[in-house]
Short mmCIF file of all heavy atoms in Angstrom, two decimals:
data_model
loop_
_atom_site.label_atom_id
_atom_site.label_comp_id
_atom_site.label_asym_id
_atom_site.label_seq_id
_atom_site.Cartn_x
_atom_site.Cartn_y
_atom_site.Cartn_z
N GLN B 1477 -0.71 1.78 2.83
CA GLN B 1477 -0.51 0.48 2.22
C GLN B 1477 -0.95 0.49 0.75
O GLN B 1477 -1.71 1.35 0.32
CB GLN B 1477 -1.31 -0.60 2.97
CG GLN B 1477 -0.96 -0.67 4.45
CD GLN B 1477 -1.55 -1.86 5.15
OE1 GLN B 1477 -1.54 -2.98 4.64
NE2 GLN B 1477 -2.03 -1.65 6.38
N TRP B 1478 -0.49 -0.52 0.03
CA TRP B 1478 -0.95 -0.81 -1.33
C TRP B 1478 -1.57 -2.21 -1.32
O TRP B 1478 -1.01 -3.14 -0.76
CB TRP B 1478 0.19 -0.77 -2.33
CG TRP B 1478 0.72 0.59 -2.63
CD1 TRP B 1478 1.82 1.19 -2.06
CD2 TRP B 1478 0.21 1.53 -3.58
NE1 TRP B 1478 2.00 2.44 -2.60
CE2 TRP B 1478 1.03 2.66 -3.54
CE3 TRP B 1478 -0.86 1.51 -4.50
CZ2 TRP B 1478 0.82 3.79 -4.35
CZ3 TRP B 1478 -1.07 2.62 -5.30
CH2 TRP B 1478 -0.23 3.74 -5.23
N VAL B 1479 -2.72 -2.31 -1.97
CA VAL B 1479 -3.42 -3.59 -2.14
C VAL B 1479 -3.82 -3.66 -3.61
O VAL B 1479 -4.16 -2.65 -4.21
CB VAL B 1479 -4.68 -3.66 -1.25
CG1 VAL B 1479 -5.45 -4.97 -1.50
CG2 VAL B 1479 -4.30 -3.54 0.22
N ARG B 1480 -3.78 -4.84 -4.18
CA ARG B 1480 -4.16 -4.98 -5.59
C ARG B 1480 -5.22 -6.05 -5.77
O ARG B 1480 -5.39 -6.92 -4.92
CB ARG B 1480 -2.94 -5.30 -6.45
CG ARG B 1480 -2.36 -6.69 -6.25
CD ARG B 1480 -1.09 -6.87 -7.09
NE ARG B 1480 -0.53 -8.20 -6.95
CZ ARG B 1480 0.61 -8.58 -7.51
NH1 ARG B 1480 1.31 -7.74 -8.27
NH2 ARG B 1480 1.05 -9.82 -7.34
N GLN B 1481 -5.92 -5.92 -6.90
CA GLN B 1481 -6.83 -6.97 -7.30
C GLN B 1481 -6.47 -7.37 -8.72
O GLN B 1481 -6.54 -6.53 -9.63
CB GLN B 1481 -8.29 -6.55 -7.24
CG GLN B 1481 -9.20 -7.70 -7.67
CD GLN B 1481 -10.65 -7.41 -7.52
OE1 GLN B 1481 -11.08 -6.27 -7.61
NE2 GLN B 1481 -11.45 -8.45 -7.26
N THR B 1482 -6.12 -8.62 -8.90
CA THR B 1482 -5.75 -9.11 -10.21
C THR B 1482 -6.95 -9.81 -10.84
O THR B 1482 -7.83 -10.30 -10.13
CB THR B 1482 -4.55 -10.05 -10.10
OG1 THR B 1482 -4.83 -11.05 -9.14
CG2 THR B 1482 -3.31 -9.28 -9.66
N PRO B 1483 -7.00 -9.87 -12.18
CA PRO B 1483 -8.16 -10.42 -12.88
C PRO B 1483 -8.50 -11.84 -12.41
O PRO B 1483 -7.63 -12.70 -12.36
CB PRO B 1483 -7.73 -10.42 -14.34
CG PRO B 1483 -6.71 -9.35 -14.43
CD PRO B 1483 -5.99 -9.36 -13.12
N GLY B 1484 -9.73 -12.04 -12.08
CA GLY B 1484 -10.17 -13.37 -11.70
C GLY B 1484 -9.74 -13.81 -10.33
O GLY B 1484 -10.06 -14.92 -9.90
N LYS B 1485 -9.03 -12.95 -9.63
CA LYS B 1485 -8.56 -13.30 -8.29
C LYS B 1485 -9.07 -12.28 -7.29
O LYS B 1485 -9.63 -11.27 -7.62
CB LYS B 1485 -7.03 -13.36 -8.25
CG LYS B 1485 -6.44 -14.45 -9.12
CD LYS B 1485 -4.93 -14.51 -8.94
CE LYS B 1485 -4.32 -15.61 -9.79
NZ LYS B 1485 -2.85 -15.69 -9.62
N GLY B 1486 -8.84 -12.58 -6.04
CA GLY B 1486 -9.29 -11.68 -4.99
C GLY B 1486 -8.29 -10.58 -4.71
O GLY B 1486 -7.37 -10.32 -5.47
N LEU B 1487 -8.51 -9.94 -3.59
CA LEU B 1487 -7.60 -8.88 -3.17
C LEU B 1487 -6.30 -9.50 -2.67
O LEU B 1487 -6.29 -10.55 -2.04
CB LEU B 1487 -8.23 -8.07 -2.04
CG LEU B 1487 -9.54 -7.34 -2.37
CD1 LEU B 1487 -10.08 -6.64 -1.13
CD2 LEU B 1487 -9.32 -6.35 -3.50
N GLU B 1488 -5.21 -8.81 -2.96
CA GLU B 1488 -3.89 -9.27 -2.52
C GLU B 1488 -3.14 -8.10 -1.92
O GLU B 1488 -3.00 -7.04 -2.54
CB GLU B 1488 -3.10 -9.85 -3.69
CG GLU B 1488 -1.71 -10.34 -3.31
CD GLU B 1488 -0.88 -10.79 -4.51
OE1 GLU B 1488 -1.32 -10.56 -5.66
OE2 GLU B 1488 0.21 -11.35 -4.30
N TRP B 1489 -2.66 -8.28 -0.71
CA TRP B 1489 -1.87 -7.25 -0.06
C TRP B 1489 -0.51 -7.14 -0.73
O TRP B 1489 0.13 -8.15 -1.03
CB TRP B 1489 -1.71 -7.58 1.42
CG TRP B 1489 -0.85 -6.60 2.14
CD1 TRP B 1489 -1.18 -5.32 2.50
CD2 TRP B 1489 0.49 -6.80 2.57
NE1 TRP B 1489 -0.12 -4.73 3.14
CE2 TRP B 1489 0.91 -5.61 3.20
CE3 TRP B 1489 1.38 -7.87 2.49
CZ2 TRP B 1489 2.18 -5.47 3.75
CZ3 TRP B 1489 2.64 -7.73 3.03
CH2 TRP B 1489 3.03 -6.53 3.65
N VAL B 1490 -0.06 -5.89 -0.96
CA VAL B 1490 1.18 -5.67 -1.68
C VAL B 1490 2.30 -5.14 -0.77
O VAL B 1490 3.39 -5.71 -0.73
CB VAL B 1490 0.96 -4.68 -2.85
CG1 VAL B 1490 2.28 -4.34 -3.52
CG2 VAL B 1490 -0.03 -5.28 -3.85
N ALA B 1491 2.02 -4.04 -0.07
CA ALA B 1491 3.11 -3.43 0.72
C ALA B 1491 2.56 -2.47 1.75
O ALA B 1491 1.43 -1.96 1.62
CB ALA B 1491 4.09 -2.70 -0.20
N LEU B 1492 3.37 -2.20 2.77
CA LEU B 1492 3.02 -1.29 3.86
C LEU B 1492 4.22 -0.43 4.21
O LEU B 1492 5.37 -0.90 4.17
CB LEU B 1492 2.59 -2.11 5.07
CG LEU B 1492 2.28 -1.41 6.41
CD1 LEU B 1492 1.29 -2.26 7.21
CD2 LEU B 1492 3.52 -1.14 7.24
N ILE B 1493 3.96 0.82 4.55
CA ILE B 1493 5.01 1.72 5.01
C ILE B 1493 4.48 2.47 6.22
O ILE B 1493 3.36 2.97 6.21
CB ILE B 1493 5.48 2.68 3.90
CG1 ILE B 1493 6.66 3.53 4.36
CG2 ILE B 1493 4.34 3.56 3.40
CD1 ILE B 1493 7.35 4.28 3.21
N THR B 1494 5.29 2.54 7.26
CA THR B 1494 4.85 3.24 8.47
C THR B 1494 4.82 4.75 8.25
O THR B 1494 5.34 5.26 7.25
CB THR B 1494 5.76 2.89 9.65
OG1 THR B 1494 7.13 3.12 9.27
CG2 THR B 1494 5.59 1.44 10.06
N TYR B 1495 4.23 5.47 9.20
CA TYR B 1495 3.96 6.89 9.04
C TYR B 1495 5.21 7.72 8.72
O TYR B 1495 5.13 8.69 7.97
CB TYR B 1495 3.32 7.43 10.32
CG TYR B 1495 4.26 7.46 11.51
CD1 TYR B 1495 4.89 8.64 11.88
CD2 TYR B 1495 4.54 6.31 12.24
CE1 TYR B 1495 5.76 8.69 12.95
CE2 TYR B 1495 5.41 6.34 13.31
CZ TYR B 1495 6.03 7.53 13.66
OH TYR B 1495 6.90 7.56 14.71
N ASP B 1496 6.34 7.26 9.25
CA ASP B 1496 7.58 8.02 9.05
C ASP B 1496 8.51 7.38 8.02
O ASP B 1496 9.64 7.85 7.83
CB ASP B 1496 8.32 8.17 10.38
CG ASP B 1496 8.69 6.83 10.99
OD1 ASP B 1496 8.29 5.78 10.44
OD2 ASP B 1496 9.37 6.82 12.03
N GLY B 1497 8.05 6.31 7.40
CA GLY B 1497 8.85 5.64 6.39
C GLY B 1497 9.95 4.75 6.95
O GLY B 1497 10.75 4.21 6.19
N SER B 1498 9.97 4.57 8.26
CA SER B 1498 11.09 3.83 8.86
C SER B 1498 10.96 2.32 8.69
O SER B 1498 11.98 1.61 8.76
CB SER B 1498 11.18 4.17 10.36
OG SER B 1498 10.01 3.76 11.04
N ARG B 1499 9.76 1.86 8.51
CA ARG B 1499 9.57 0.42 8.31
C ARG B 1499 8.74 0.17 7.07
O ARG B 1499 7.75 0.85 6.82
CB ARG B 1499 8.88 -0.20 9.54
CG ARG B 1499 9.79 -0.36 10.75
CD ARG B 1499 9.04 -0.89 11.94
NE ARG B 1499 8.14 0.10 12.51
CZ ARG B 1499 7.23 -0.17 13.44
NH1 ARG B 1499 7.08 -1.43 13.88
NH2 ARG B 1499 6.46 0.78 13.92
N LYS B 1500 9.14 -0.86 6.32
CA LYS B 1500 8.46 -1.23 5.09
C LYS B 1500 8.33 -2.75 5.05
O LYS B 1500 9.26 -3.47 5.43
CB LYS B 1500 9.26 -0.75 3.87
CG LYS B 1500 9.53 0.74 3.87
CD LYS B 1500 10.44 1.13 2.72
CE LYS B 1500 10.80 2.62 2.80
NZ LYS B 1500 11.65 3.04 1.68
N TYR B 1501 7.19 -3.21 4.60
CA TYR B 1501 6.94 -4.64 4.51
C TYR B 1501 6.31 -4.94 3.15
O TYR B 1501 5.56 -4.11 2.62
CB TYR B 1501 6.01 -5.11 5.63
CG TYR B 1501 6.53 -4.81 7.02
CD1 TYR B 1501 6.13 -3.66 7.68
CD2 TYR B 1501 7.41 -5.68 7.65
CE1 TYR B 1501 6.61 -3.38 8.96
CE2 TYR B 1501 7.89 -5.41 8.92
CZ TYR B 1501 7.49 -4.26 9.57
OH TYR B 1501 7.96 -3.99 10.82
N TYR B 1502 6.57 -6.16 2.65
CA TYR B 1502 6.11 -6.52 1.31
C TYR B 1502 5.50 -7.91 1.27
O TYR B 1502 5.91 -8.80 2.01
CB TYR B 1502 7.28 -6.48 0.32
CG TYR B 1502 7.92 -5.12 0.19
CD1 TYR B 1502 9.00 -4.77 1.00
CD2 TYR B 1502 7.44 -4.19 -0.72
CE1 TYR B 1502 9.59 -3.52 0.89
CE2 TYR B 1502 8.02 -2.94 -0.83
CZ TYR B 1502 9.10 -2.61 -0.02
OH TYR B 1502 9.67 -1.37 -0.12
N GLY B 1503 4.56 -8.09 0.35
CA GLY B 1503 4.03 -9.41 0.10
C GLY B 1503 5.07 -10.25 -0.63
O GLY B 1503 5.92 -9.72 -1.36
#
Side-chain angles (χ1 to χ4, degrees):
Chain B
Q1477 303 190 43
W1478 289 96
V1479 177
R1480 70 184 182 184
Q1481 180 175 30
T1482 53
K1485 295 185 179 180
L1487 299 177
E1488 179 186 9
W1489 177 74
V1490 175
L1492 174 153
I1493 185 168
T1494 53
Y1495 69 99
D1496 60 355
S1498 63
R1499 286 177 288 170
K1500 304 174 185 181
Y1501 302 95
Y1502 299 91

